[in-house]
Amino acid sequence: MHTDFTKMYIDGQWVEGSSDKSIDNTNPFTDETLFSIRSADESDLDKAYAVAKEAQTEWATMLPQNRRALIEKFAEVTLQHKEDIIDWLVKESGSTRIKAEGEFLASMAIIKEAATFPFRMDGLIKPSIVPNKENRVYRKPLGVIGVISPWNFPFHLAVRSIVSALATGNTVVVKPATATPVTGGLLFASLFEEAGLPKGVLNVVVGRGSEIGDAIVEHPVPKLISFTGSTEVGKGIAEKAGRLLKKTALELGGNNVFVVLDDADIDRAVESAVYSKFYHQGQICMSTNRILVAESIHDAFLEKFVERVGALKFGNPNESDTQVGPLIDHDQVERILDQIKQTVDAGATVQVGGNTDGNVLEPTVVSGVTNDMPLAKNEIFGPVAVVISFKDDAEALKLSNELPYGLSGAVHGSIYRATEFARQVETGMIHVNDQSVNDEPHLPFGGEKDSGLGRFNGEWVLEEFTTLQWVSVMHERREYKPFFS
């Protein structure tokens, strides 16, 4: 496996960027600079898109069993380098070993699902209202897809777009987040190179948003932009793409609710809430942001929840039993500390945590929160849980839906009642008597409202990354009356 990640990957070659700026890749726990890479500029991006376009015709016409074999070989190579990938997730993204292992397993699952896609490019034969005519509907790849990957689950959230795009006959240009250029991009170049992917089919450009962020969307070659990240940036991408009539697949921010109804199993709800809030320090789009608890069981839930959160081990992500590691950088620490202060000033109470050591923020619980306080109305993206009390189901539903997000969620209670409640929450995904951080490779993943557009995984990503062509066939001479008599 290629391990020198000081260069980017274009047309099957490891090359230096053309910008006069460089990007430092930093370990978020130690603040150690892992390496520096010279940034890409628009000329590098233009070359990457050009070679991807040139390679796409041959890639799309490859026999499906051959394209599947390459995806399967990529899965084999990825599995062989499991420990290398996990090490990079720990040192580059601040993942705990627990989270890195989970991210790797999720990535392998989506790779295996995508390996089935070459034989799932189904077409249709439809009847016609015209005599002796046949209607055919062909499913075709879009062409070239631009992928902008995030820093929080960089390997999984990049691979789900990359491998799905490749499996459906598209070629790809990836721009990883500058905080995670290896796990969000360059690792894939290395792994696919070892797997024997033809040159030009996958290209990785590492560059600053200020230099190539607009260009990766506005370039005339890509037919779809796949982006995972903040709602603010996603809206900007959607606006640029919309002007150019490009498709987008956007997974954006979430202000996810975790609702505990008055007939819930409190111990079970506490365990689910701890996991869905503090897994990967809460730096997950699906992480619980607001925990809504029925007034009659609020105190009992809070007492047990605070006890469990206070027992979490936090600190060095490289230690196998660490449950909460560092935030990605100090700016995130300062942002969250400011929101804690504003929320406390508004009348809330810190029950446990709130202290920092470098980029590690202690697992924190804040009670007495209302929906209009900063920690409730903004996506936290950190290890801070807010607990909000509600009087009845109607109020809980109002609190759940009144903010402009709808990605994931969870509801605890008796199954029928909780399920009926869940169906009324305006969100793309919601889980009954479970936690909110769920992703299965064969089920539709995506949000509503400000949480994004489109769906990933399974047959739904097939719809996103392909297009349909109607071809009609006349089997006999047609009479064009009354135009010709």
Side-chain angles (χ1 to χ4, degrees):
M1 184 176 76
H2 184 95
T3 57
D4 177 8
F5 296 121
T6 60
K7 295 181 180 179
M8 61 195 68
Y9 190 75
I10 300 174
D11 199 20
Q13 302 293 321
W14 294 91
V15 297
E16 280 198 345
S18 301
S19 171
D20 58 0
K21 299 181 176 65
S22 63
I23 293 170
D24 291 335
N25 190 10
T26 303
N27 182 317
F29 180 68
T30 66
D31 279 332
E32 167 197 5
T33 299
L34 301 172
F35 64 86
S36 294
I37 182 171
R38 193 170 174 185
S39 298
D41 66 11
E42 289 192 25
S43 68
D44 300 310
L45 183 66
D46 187 65
K47 181 177 180 182
Y49 273 138
V51 299
K53 182 178 181 180
E54 183 178 353
Q56 195 270 328
T57 301
E58 185 173 349
W59 177 248
T61 56
M62 179 182 284
L63 289 172
Q65 64 267 33
N66 294 338
R67 203 158 62 239
R68 179 182 64 185
L70 270 165
I71 301 299
E72 290 173 339
K73 181 63 176 177
F74 168 65
E76 179 185 321
V77 169
T78 300
L79 189 59
Q80 289 171 357
H81 294 289
K82 174 182 178 180
E83 292 307 315
D84 295 324
I85 295 165
I86 286 176
D87 284 344
W88 271 109
L89 284 167
V90 172
K91 66 187 178 185
E92 184 181 59
S93 73
S95 301
T96 63
R97 290 204 162 265
I98 295 169
K99 177 264 186 182
E101 177 80 25
E103 180 169 357
F104 182 85
L105 293 175
S107 301
M108 290 301 300
I110 197 65
I111 295 168
K112 291 176 182 178
E113 175 74 9
T116 70
F117 291 170
F119 280 100
R120 291 166 64 182
M121 299 281 284
D122 297 335
L124 293 169
I125 302 291
K126 302 289 283 185
S128 175
I129 62 173
V130 178
N132 302 310
K133 188 173 189 177
E134 177 186 35
N135 288 312
R136 304 175 184 180
V137 180
Y138 292 92
R139 185 173 297 281
K140 301 167 63 175
L142 289 171
V144 179
I145 289 179
V147 176
I148 306 172
S149 66
W151 52 258
N152 60 329
F153 262 67
F155 196 79
H156 178 226
L157 297 181
V159 78
R160 74 173 180 189
S161 289
I162 293 169
V163 75
S164 299
L166 296 180
T168 49
N170 301 283
T171 54
V172 176
V173 174
V174 184
K175 188 194 103 56
T178 54
T180 51
V182 177
T183 50
L186 295 171
L187 266 177
F188 299 105
S190 179
L191 295 167
F192 269 113
E193 183 179 55
E194 186 173 335
L197 190 73
K199 70 175 186 177
V201 174
L202 174 66
N203 305 273
V204 182
V205 292
V206 179
R208 300 173 183 275
S210 58
E211 289 191 89
I212 64 171
D214 289 349
I216 195 168
V217 179
E218 295 174 341
H219 195 282
V221 165
K223 301 299 183 184
L224 179 143
I225 302 299
S226 175
F227 170 76
T228 302
S230 72
T231 295
E232 181 183 8
V233 175
K235 284 183 174 181
I237 288 171
E239 183 178 357
K240 293 178 179 67
R243 287 200 306 268
L244 299 168
L245 297 180
K246 291 180 188 287
K247 292 180 70 176
T248 56
L250 305 174
E251 187 217 314
L252 308 178
N255 194 320
N256 307 306
V257 291
F258 186 104
V259 180
V260 186
L261 302 175
D262 59 17
D263 60 353
D265 180 324
I266 294 177
D267 291 330
R268 184 175 175 182
V270 165
E271 290 178 356
S272 293
V274 170
Y275 182 93
S276 63
K277 174 68 260 186
F278 295 101
Y279 185 46
H280 193 41
Q281 299 76 265
Q283 296 177 123
I284 308 174
C285 55
M286 296 176 287
S287 293
T288 290
N289 209 68
R290 296 170 291 149
I291 301 173
L292 311 182
V293 185
E295 192 174 72
S296 61
I297 61 169
H298 173 273
D299 292 351
F301 175 92
L302 183 62
E303 181 181 357
K304 291 183 177 185
F305 184 64
V306 168
E307 181 181 358
R308 293 300 290 268
V309 172
L312 293 173
K313 180 180 177 182
F314 57 91
N316 187 348
N318 210 27
E319 295 177 2
S320 61
D321 58 345
T322 296
Q323 295 162 302
V324 176
L327 294 171
I328 191 66
D329 58 40
H330 198 63
D331 287 347
Q332 298 300 314
V333 177
E334 290 299 316
R335 174 185 61 79
I336 295 171
L337 287 177
D338 182 57
Q339 289 188 1
I340 292 173
K341 182 181 183 303
Q342 291 182 50
T343 302
V344 170
D345 288 347
T349 301
V350 174
Q351 295 285 343
V352 67
N355 300 310
T356 62
D357 182 4
N359 289 338
V360 177
L361 173 58
E362 281 183 68
T364 302
V365 178
V366 182
S367 65
V369 179
T370 57
N371 241 17
D372 58 349
M373 293 182 182
L375 284 175
K377 67 183 181 180
N378 300 312
E379 184 181 26
I380 300 170
F381 229 64
V384 180
V386 301
V387 181
I388 300 172
S389 177
F390 64 85
K391 293 180 180 178
D392 54 29
D393 290 11
E395 184 183 17
L397 189 63
K398 177 178 179 295
L399 293 171
S400 298
N401 288 336
E402 70 181 3
L403 297 179
Y405 298 93
L407 186 61
S408 188
V411 184
H412 278 250
S414 58
I415 289 178
Y416 178 79
R417 180 181 171 198
T419 302
E420 289 303 299
F421 184 96
R423 293 184 62 195
Q424 297 176 77
V425 180
E426 296 165 355
T427 186
M429 305 172 288
I430 192 161
H431 310 284
V432 173
N433 292 333
D434 195 6
Q435 46 81 28
S436 61
V437 186
N438 282 281
D439 189 2
E440 297 189 34
H442 60 296
L443 292 171
F445 186 104
E448 299 293 331
K449 302 192 289 188
D450 281 3
S451 290
L453 296 170
R455 295 293 185 268
F456 292 93
N457 298 347
E459 63 196 78
W460 295 275
V461 81
L462 274 166
E463 291 287 339
E464 298 289 344
F465 286 4
T466 61
T467 189
L468 297 175
Q469 183 183 33
W470 171 29
V471 176
S472 70
V473 179
M474 280 298 306
H475 291 281
E476 303 288 344
R477 182 176 180 176
R478 182 174 180 176
E479 295 183 2
Y480 301 100
K481 294 179 178 180
F483 197 84
F484 295 110
S485 57

